[in-house]
Amino acid sequence: MRSTLSRRGFLAAGGGLAAATALPALSGCSSLAAADSDPGTLVVHSQLGTTAPGSPTYLSALDRFRKETGLKVRNLVNGDDLAQVYETSRLARKEPDVVMVNLYDKTLAWTDVGATVDVKGYLDDWGLRERVLPVALDAWTDNKGRLRAFPYFATNWPVAFNRALLDKAGVGEIPATGDQLIAAAGKLRRKNIAPVTVGGNDWTGQKLLAQIIQTFLTEDEARHVYATGDFGSRGARQGIDYFVELRDAGVFADKAQGLTSDSMTTQFNTQAAAMQSAMSSALAKVPEPVARHTDVGGWPLAPGAAHDKPTILRTYTLIGFWISPNGTKKIDAVEKFLRFMYRADTVSRFIKEAGRDMALRSDAVSSDFPLVAAAQGLGGDVGQVLLPDLFVPPAATQPLITATSTSFTRGTSAAKVRSVLEAAYRGV
């Protein structure tokens, strides 16, 4: 089933559909059915407000905004189902005014089908363009020149290495090559320590698999692979072979195909595993005793790689502020809210208090989150591969995660891995 809604589905919903649509309940907040009931209240829909990293800072910012402006703000909270809940509310014409979500899967189509509006004019009219990193503006701009949302959160995605566990296993140096990684994995296993923990059954494994496959791909080649699902090129096949070699040599934790991001984080934070590929929000959660002897770096390379340094992922599309059609009716309040959230002091608090990477200019450093700060400072010490999210067709997103679990299953041949990856694109 395609995950995007058609233009007709979004724009042709009449009163009968709106009345018949059952709106999903939201945890800890009022229903979206009441989202447009008060024209004097700004309604913001986000994943921040419960346990998501940065939630306390965000809720504090909302309180300060209310006090400074006198405006009422209602914060609606959803987790991974936010995009689906928003689409349902939009069909009923009861969508919130501002949505805070990443550019991924369903949301890739929102601006094109009129579920949200092009914000480029607002960004310029409100004088906020210079606050945004140019690379973030590029990432949020679609192929028709429309700016989908106001960029906000970014992330670094390096590899975390527990030096104490590596030392315990007799691994003298942090692995920088595939051969070194395989040798380290053998030594760690002899000490009953999992080498690399990964959520092979969810998005974390999908990202690491994509990163490893890109070992032999240039950025342009990788963009083609993930936009089309054609994994038949020489570089893509070499990358799959490299992944299979690492997997069958025992580099990944046992039964990685069934692990999730939560189990991955638990294994690393409890020192049951020596390495993990972790985005900034996960690095911020590493306990201080573990962080004290953890280094961050890139994924080890194989001979003949298209990169000259171990690689990491980076993205500037983690969370943006999208404006809905309802939001354009309250545009003065939306402007005040965006100006406040873009203020240097607000941005600085997310960096310092929550350890968040930002898509905005700031001199602040995540000093209380040493691994996040270390990842921010990697710079030219690592190479960078493409995050495939912006190029994978939405209909292939979930099938790719299913294919990822198959790929992490020991004994699955390289040919089979290629087959399941390409099968994820059928019907796109």
Side-chain angles (χ1 to χ4, degrees):
M1 179 181 295
R2 291 183 181 274
S3 58
T4 56
L5 297 183
S6 68
R7 178 179 297 275
R8 181 179 180 182
F10 266 123
L11 302 182
L17 174 60
T21 302
L23 298 177
L26 295 168
S27 58
C29 60
S30 344
S31 75
L32 281 176
D36 62 349
S37 60
D38 182 357
T41 297
L42 183 68
V43 183
V44 181
H45 193 184
S46 78
Q47 294 175 318
L48 301 180
T50 53
T51 60
S55 290
T57 301
Y58 173 67
L59 294 176
S60 175
L62 286 186
D63 286 340
R64 287 186 292 117
F65 175 74
R66 293 183 184 106
K67 291 175 182 176
E68 288 186 19
T69 64
L71 292 172
K72 291 186 289 184
V73 181
R74 182 181 303 151
N75 186 44
L76 306 180
V77 186
N78 272 95
D80 292 340
D81 60 341
L82 184 149
Q84 184 63 52
V85 173
Y86 177 78
E87 290 184 353
T88 304
S89 69
R90 175 58 195 150
L91 282 171
R93 298 298 188 267
K94 295 182 180 295
E95 80 275 5
D97 306 309
V98 176
V99 189
M100 296 174 61
V101 71
N102 59 331
L103 185 58
Y104 174 63
D105 194 10
K106 292 173 178 292
T107 68
L108 289 166
W110 280 0
T111 304
D112 196 47
V113 299
T116 53
V117 302
D118 178 4
V119 304
K120 183 168 62 175
Y122 295 126
L123 182 81
D124 291 328
D125 290 346
W126 300 342
L128 297 177
R129 178 175 289 272
E130 293 306 312
R131 295 284 295 121
V132 188
L133 295 172
V135 65
L137 285 174
D138 289 344
W140 282 93
T141 300
D142 69 14
N143 58 11
K144 296 180 180 178
R146 298 171 299 197
L147 184 63
R148 296 174 169 110
F150 285 78
Y152 207 58
F153 284 177
T155 191
N156 285 305
W157 208 319
V159 181
F161 300 90
N162 186 317
R163 296 190 317 276
L165 293 182
L166 293 173
D167 289 344
K168 180 179 178 179
V171 180
E173 297 181 356
I174 290 175
T177 68
D179 287 342
Q180 291 172 357
L181 181 58
I182 290 171
K187 292 179 179 180
L188 287 162
R189 286 186 172 278
R190 286 192 284 276
K191 293 291 184 179
N192 295 316
I193 301 169
V196 178
T197 181
V198 58
N201 197 33
D202 68 9
W203 53 274
T204 53
Q206 189 251 332
K207 300 300 184 294
L208 181 57
L209 175 59
Q211 182 176 357
I212 296 171
I213 288 175
Q214 290 183 65
T215 300
F216 299 94
L217 295 174
T218 66
E219 181 175 317
D220 287 343
E221 290 170 339
R223 186 179 293 108
H224 171 79
V225 167
Y226 282 97
T228 65
D230 176 10
F231 290 83
S233 68
R234 179 181 179 184
R237 287 186 284 108
Q238 285 179 300
I240 292 172
D241 288 342
Y242 181 42
F243 167 79
V244 169
E245 178 186 4
L246 296 177
R247 185 202 64 201
D248 290 347
V251 162
F252 305 112
D254 291 342
K255 300 180 180 178
Q257 70 273 19
L259 299 180
T260 65
S261 58
D262 288 340
S263 49
M264 176 189 81
T265 300
T266 298
Q267 283 193 343
F268 187 83
N269 290 355
T270 60
Q271 303 196 84
M275 295 168 272
Q276 69 168 343
S277 170
M279 63 193 305
S280 303
S281 55
L283 294 176
K285 293 180 179 179
V286 176
E288 192 276 334
V290 180
R292 199 164 46 231
H293 50 249
T294 296
D295 287 343
V296 294
W299 185 262
L301 296 178
H307 311 272
D308 57 5
K309 297 175 183 176
T311 64
I312 69 168
L313 294 163
R314 284 193 183 100
T315 179
Y316 297 88
T317 57
L318 198 60
I319 279 185
F321 295 100
W322 308 65
I323 300 177
S324 74
N326 274 342
T328 62
K329 303 171 187 176
K330 305 176 187 176
I331 202 63
D332 289 343
V334 172
E335 178 182 356
K336 290 177 181 178
F337 178 68
L338 266 297
R339 286 185 180 276
F340 176 86
M341 295 303 292
Y342 263 44
R343 261 177 22 190
D345 61 321
T346 304
V347 172
S348 176
R349 290 187 64 174
F350 277 106
I351 297 171
K352 293 179 177 179
E353 295 176 11
R356 300 305 311 229
D357 288 309
M358 306 299 290
L360 306 182
R361 301 180 191 275
S362 177
D363 294 328
V365 178
S366 302
S367 54
D368 289 341
F369 302 87
L371 298 184
V372 177
Q376 291 167 347
L378 281 172
D381 293 336
V382 292
Q384 183 176 334
V385 296
L386 189 75
L387 185 79
D389 293 6
L390 300 183
F391 309 101
V392 173
T397 299
Q398 290 305 314
L400 273 178
I401 290 177
T402 301
T404 295
S405 181
T406 301
S407 300
F408 272 98
T409 302
R410 277 222 200 174
T412 304
S413 69
K416 178 64 174 178
V417 170
R418 176 187 167 190
S419 175
V420 296
L421 290 173
E422 292 184 337
Y425 286 75
R426 288 177 187 159
V428 170

